[in-house]
Amino acid sequence: MERRLTFTPRRRWLLEGLRAAVEAFWAAGIEEIYIDGSFCTEKPDPGDVDGYWVEPDDGVYDRIDPYWIDFELILVPHLRKWKARMWVDHGVEFFIHPAMQASPEMGFPEFFRQDRDGQPRGVIQVVKVSPK
């Protein structure tokens, strides 16, 4: 997967951010992690890595590093946008299912499985592989 997704410097930087997030999620006992968006395509310079994770239990919030659930927005002056710290520092934006909704009518699993026109699209599940 690394070779397929990291063919530009931007993509290599985004993969490092993805790794940091996923390792923090795994350390907290989170196993259902999904990504999508332009990082999962052949676009040479995607803007970020979009994704969500599924709450495994109520205790996850005691185990996870608070950094990864801090959604306070900060201004990114050169973009004139407000983004969460994880996006600013690592280029990743992970939401929490079912605690958060993409809209009042739609959760993140449904939201991530369709494009802007409502057409179906796939997502990638990030899985932990045991070393051989």
Side-chain angles (χ1 to χ4, degrees), residues 1-13 15 38-46:
M1 180 175 103
E2 182 173 349
R3 199 172 339 134
R4 182 176 178 160
L5 295 177
T6 61
F7 53 89
T8 67
R10 173 77 179 166
R11 287 177 154 281
R12 285 188 287 278
W13 180 76
L15 182 63
S38 58
F39 183 76
C40 299
T41 70
E42 294 180 354
K43 183 177 180 180
D45 293 313

Side-chain angles (χ1 to χ4, degrees), residues 42-87:
E42 294 180 354
K43 183 177 180 180
D45 293 313
D48 61 9
V49 178
D50 301 306
Y52 71 93
W53 53 269
V54 178
E55 296 172 315
D57 55 60
D58 292 339
V60 68
Y61 297 101
D62 296 325
R63 297 186 307 267
I64 193 166
D65 180 338
Y67 174 90
W68 297 103
I69 54 173
D70 178 5
F71 293 95
E72 183 177 345
L73 299 178
I74 58 174
L75 179 63
V76 183
H78 67 281
L79 297 177
R80 296 185 182 150
K81 290 184 179 182
W82 292 84
K83 292 290 190 174
R85 170 117 2 241
M86 71 177 95
W87 189 93

